[in-house]
Amino acid sequence: MSEKSQLKGQTLGFEIKVCNGKARVGKLHTSHGVFDTPIFMPVGTNANVKLMRADDLKSIGVGILLGNSYHLAVKPGLDVIKIHGGLHSFMNWNGGILTDSGGFQVFSLRDLRQINDDGVLIRSPVDGSKLFLTPELSIEIQRVLGSDIVMVLDHCPGPMDSYEEALKSLRRTHQWADRCLKYGVNEGQMLFAIAQGGMYEDLRRLSAQELAKMPFDGFAVGGLSLGEEFEKTLHLTGVTVESLPIEKPRYFMGGGSPELIVHLVEIGVDMFDSVFPTRLARHGTALTFKGRLNIKSARFKDDLDPIEEGCDCIACKNYTRSYIHHLFDRGEALGGILLTNHNLRFMMRFMERLRRSIYDGTFVDLKKEVINSYVKGEGDKLCYDSVDNTVFG
């Protein structure tokens, strides 16, 4: 199955290579490469994945990064991006880039914005500047950035919003999606819509069905992983995905914990992003196939083992748990750098195993392993934190 369009000898689009139940392995064709799905995309809100260089990201197997069009339009500003020739050149990254439209800021900066059907007036938490973000301006910003995947501007409701409020935001999201589609993206860019609907099953289904009628290159599930119960996240995602075109990529926005990803892959989601692994790393927690390790724990003071046996990241190949524990104990930045490298390499290895398990029919076994490690509590388990996103990553 494939959905493709031709561009100057390049093929843009998505093809499904194999399915195992609803889980599938695919290839996402962009202007800056072809990427295997399911895929995890690190967040680089401000044109940088915290504590990582572009070369480091490439060396550990990262294919697509995220940037935030609203924050980049505020700082450094589009004029700066323009003189560099686009976001890829600005941040010295030759892989894929997906840019968020600013729609998440409609939710996360609720106290700093005013919204109506025309757009949203946002006051920057960085410098207090104001920007009236319309669907058309959001697309124009992303045109200048030159990202490979462009997200429509959407109105993301809060998890506590009433049915009436969620319906209003859904209608606005659909109107804005249509305006984004009419404004259009550059050659070589793909445009994804975002399904909303709050915590309401019928609105989730309606949003997916209506957006599926429009010629978008892919579809995202938005407005979840914002504090609702884990089972509700899964149920509402499933309701949304079952109404989206099977031949188009499905992207869950803001989900990055292994236990969440493995469940969502099972119901047919292809793409994920989150600050989850990098934020954990900066606070001293490592991700492993046996669960999470709080490296700041005193029990690692004399531990000569690597963070994870068999891991090929620079931290595991060159340093002991004891040394990294020491770095965090003394507040040394290198501790966060090494754990960030490890956690992102873990995510790449984890996604590789997911794809392989779908190919060879062992997905169910891998899912059980992840649940045993991350839900039942092997290792130093942190409580499940469904809020995988922050304003600044």
Side-chain angles (χ1 to χ4, degrees), residues 317-335:
K317 289 194 299 184
N318 296 287
Y319 303 99
T320 64
R321 293 173 175 180
S322 174
Y323 179 66
I324 299 173
H325 168 85
H326 161 74
L327 294 175
F328 275 95
D329 186 55
R330 301 306 299 157
E332 293 287 346
L334 181 59

Side-chain angles (χ1 to χ4, degrees), residues 41-226:
M41 305 174 290
V43 175
T45 299
N46 297 306
N48 171 60
V49 176
K50 290 184 185 299
L51 304 183
M52 296 288 285
R53 302 178 308 144
D55 287 348
D56 299 326
L57 293 166
K58 209 67 175 176
S59 70
I60 63 174
V62 173
I64 304 177
L65 302 179
L66 258 73
N68 186 280
S69 60
Y70 166 71
H71 287 303
L72 292 170
V74 173
K75 293 285 184 179
L78 294 184
D79 289 344
V80 174
I81 303 293
K82 281 181 180 178
I83 64 174
H84 284 82
L87 185 56
H88 288 86
S89 178
F90 180 60
M91 62 186 297
N92 189 32
W93 176 251
N94 62 3
I97 296 178
L98 182 152
T99 44
D100 191 9
S101 63
F104 184 72
Q105 281 63 55
V106 176
F107 165 77
S108 65
L109 301 179
R110 286 189 137 189
D111 295 334
L112 299 174
R113 53 85 162 164
Q114 299 174 15
I115 189 169
N116 59 43
D117 288 343
D118 292 328
V120 54
L121 179 66
I122 306 177
R123 178 163 55 88
S124 170
V126 177
D127 60 9
S129 62
K130 294 181 179 180
L131 177 68
F132 187 68
L133 189 63
T134 64
E136 293 80 9
L137 178 58
S138 176
I139 296 297
E140 182 58 32
I141 291 170
Q142 294 178 85
R143 280 180 166 187
V144 172
L145 295 176
S147 50
D148 299 275
I149 300 173
V150 172
M151 303 304 300
V152 301
L153 183 64
D154 62 318
H155 182 180
C156 177
M160 303 304 293
D161 282 4
S162 68
Y163 187 92
E164 291 71 22
E165 291 170 322
L167 178 59
K168 185 176 182 180
S169 68
L170 180 151
R171 288 172 173 164
R172 184 173 283 148
T173 290
H174 293 181
Q175 292 168 3
W176 287 359
D178 185 58
R179 287 166 60 182
C180 288
L181 197 59
K182 289 176 179 176
Y183 193 81
V185 294
N186 292 330
E187 273 193 309
Q189 292 184 308
M190 304 169 73
L191 183 61
F192 280 31
I194 305 173
Q196 290 291 352
M199 299 295 112
Y200 305 97
E201 180 178 327
D202 61 330
L203 295 185
R204 285 276 164 188
R205 186 174 288 108
L206 174 63
S207 184
Q209 290 172 347
E210 290 301 310
L211 291 173
K213 298 174 184 177
M214 304 181 190
F216 289 104
D217 298 301
F219 298 88
V221 180
L224 293 174
S225 195
L226 297 177

Side-chain angles (χ1 to χ4, degrees), residues 319-361:
Y319 303 99
T320 64
R321 293 173 175 180
S322 174
Y323 179 66
I324 299 173
H325 168 85
H326 161 74
L327 294 175
F328 275 95
D329 186 55
R330 301 306 299 157
E332 293 287 346
L334 181 59
I337 292 171
L338 292 175
L339 273 199
T340 298
N341 189 292
H342 168 80
N343 279 1
L344 288 179
R345 179 58 188 147
F346 168 82
M347 293 302 297
M348 298 304 108
R349 294 168 62 224
F350 174 59
M351 300 312 290
E352 289 165 6
R353 281 194 63 187
L354 269 178
R355 293 191 294 267
R356 189 165 62 249
S357 74
I358 295 170
Y359 264 113
D360 63 23

Side-chain angles (χ1 to χ4, degrees), residues 378-392:
E378 292 185 17
D380 287 341
K381 184 184 182 299
L382 298 181
C383 293
Y384 173 71
D385 175 9
S386 64
V387 184
D388 277 357
N389 242 319
T390 61
V391 175
F392 299 107

Side-chain angles (χ1 to χ4, degrees), residues 258 286-293 307-308 321 342-343 346 349 373-374:
L287 298 171
T288 79
F289 282 102
K290 292 185 178 179
R292 302 170 198 173
L293 298 179
I307 294 294
E308 183 172 28
R321 293 173 175 180
H342 168 80
N343 279 1
F346 168 82
R349 294 168 62 224
S373 297
Y374 280 87

